[in-house]
Amino acid sequence: MKHLALFLLALSSSFLLSAQIVFPGDLNNDGTANHLDLLPLGVAYGQEGPPRPEASLEWFQQPNFPWAGFLPVSGVNLGFVDADGNGFIDSLDLDAIALNYDSLQFSSLPPPQPYILSDTFPVEELPELAIRFDRDTAGPGETINLIIDYIVPNPDAFPPTAAPLAIAFTLEYADTLLAEEQTLIEPDTGPGDLMFVAATSNSVGFWRSPSPGQIEFAASGRGLPALAGSRTLAKMIIVMEDMILLSQPLDIMIKGPLLINTAEQVIALKTAVAPLWITGQAPEPSLPAKVQVFPNPTSGLLQIQLPQPAPAEYTLFSYTGQCQAQGSLAFGNRWELNLSGYAPGLYFLQIRTPQGVEVVRVAVW
Ligand SMILES: [Ca+2]
Ligand SMILES: [Ca+2]
């Protein structure tokens, strides 16, 4: 009887093992490991189940015990979500996504299915994913900050059980405009409540990476609705190519945006991208406001107009550098200097203010 029980146990184990084959990093079992695999991790965060026998982070088919639980909308068994196979679903499972990024598989069991979420949580005022830049124009070789904001107009629209949890999207742009090897992504890891996957064509440490002209990004709460309110998700530091011949807009497009709540339901999302104009030549540095003097040349009173109010000191030098006159302005931003007794020639008027020193050439005739 004891032998029979053991035999039945062995039989059921092998049956259970053969009932599931996973690839570590394909947490949603859609056939590849990428940024979307962060979403199931967020939904199922903290759950426990049977560890995977002989678990490995390598990308090969691994027999597994199916877990009792499933993702609520996609129906993926949680055995897939425990990517490292240690029996716990937590941030350690991120490693399998990074290590196997962009790998493909066709032989999981059940077979891979597209990650299509058929259940939508209705909202009246849609959350927004907004891309902005720290400037309006950029020239060749210049560094720009791209900021990814996530805006929730009405946080009260979501019950705690169905509030926004995770977001994923791809940025696409003309790869001839950016020096992609210099792109850096700085996710907002300060609060510590979000997990991130950010992949660029220069991603170091990823087995594979997205194509040039694409950045794949995902952020997810750790089982908790960390996207229930507005926040900045990340800053990207991008560098323009050195050789840009034509002035043109930097067309960054947000592709495949997907926002889900803690119940794995889709929440519709608006997107917006601020304009950035790429100039074919480096733009002139913006000139600080200048001291104005007039009339110039003069044979009498010279009007001096400061770009900002006093205090200011002035010194008038001859062409050979001798001090001819000195004084200061205690209030206002305009005064007169009488040059009627000065020998004709070129003079230098030095104006010293808290903003700096400026020298203006003045001609007397
Ligand atoms: Ca996947
Ligand atoms: Ca795990």
Side-chain angles (χ1 to χ4, degrees), residues 46-316:
Q47 301 220 36
E48 298 179 22
R52 188 162 74 232
E54 299 177 40
S56 163
L57 290 180
E58 301 277 324
W59 188 256
F60 62 84
Q61 53 185 49
Q62 300 182 25
N64 195 23
F65 295 112
W67 286 29
F70 296 84
L71 291 170
V73 175
S74 64
V76 172
N77 185 267
L78 297 188
F80 285 88
V81 186
D82 177 24
D84 66 0
N86 67 352
F88 302 96
I89 295 175
D90 58 24
S91 52
L92 294 177
D93 295 307
L94 275 170
D95 290 349
I97 302 175
L99 284 169
N100 297 301
Y101 207 85
D102 237 11
S103 297
L104 299 174
Q105 61 90 2
F106 307 95
S107 50
S108 59
L109 194 68
Q113 298 285 331
Y115 190 55
I116 295 171
L117 302 176
S118 54
D119 197 358
T120 300
F121 183 85
V123 281
E124 286 188 9
E125 291 183 274
L126 301 186
E128 181 173 355
L129 182 64
I131 305 284
R132 62 188 164 92
F133 303 94
D134 63 348
R135 57 168 83 185
D136 301 327
T137 63
E142 291 194 306
T143 300
I144 301 140
N145 289 334
L146 178 159
I147 297 124
I148 302 171
D149 288 324
Y150 166 76
I151 301 148
V152 182
N154 183 12
D156 297 333
F158 302 102
T161 52
L165 165 88
I167 193 168
F169 57 91
T170 301
L171 297 183
E172 286 190 9
Y173 48 90
D175 62 329
T176 51
L177 293 177
L178 299 188
E180 295 204 76
E181 67 283 359
Q182 297 183 63
T183 300
L184 284 177
I185 302 179
E186 295 178 351
D188 180 26
T189 53
D193 57 347
L194 285 175
M195 301 177 288
F196 294 94
V197 170
T200 68
S201 65
N202 71 352
S203 297
V204 178
F206 284 165
W207 179 246
R208 300 181 187 187
S209 58
S211 311
Q214 289 192 338
I215 294 172
E216 293 172 343
F217 185 92
S220 175
R222 299 166 195 266
L224 298 172
L227 297 180
S230 302
R231 62 196 292 173
T232 294
L233 295 175
K235 181 175 82 173
M236 293 188 188
I237 299 164
I238 58 176
V239 179
M240 307 314 302
E241 281 284 9
D242 287 331
M243 292 293 291
I244 297 173
L245 301 178
L246 296 173
S247 294
Q248 57 195 299
L250 176 63
D251 265 333
I252 287 199
M253 288 163 288
I254 300 173
K255 291 290 181 72
L258 179 59
L259 176 68
I260 64 167
N261 64 14
T262 48
E264 210 192 11
Q265 295 168 304
V266 175
I267 299 169
L269 182 71
K270 287 193 294 186
T271 61
V273 181
L276 178 71
W277 186 257
I278 307 300
T279 55
Q281 299 163 345
E284 291 286 321
S286 61
L287 295 171
K290 287 281 193 185
V291 173
Q292 310 270 341
V293 297
F294 50 90
N296 188 13
T298 181
S299 57
L301 291 177
L302 182 72
Q303 309 281 343
I304 302 165
Q305 172 92 44
L306 294 178
Q308 62 280 317
E313 293 174 355
Y314 72 87
T315 309
L316 184 72

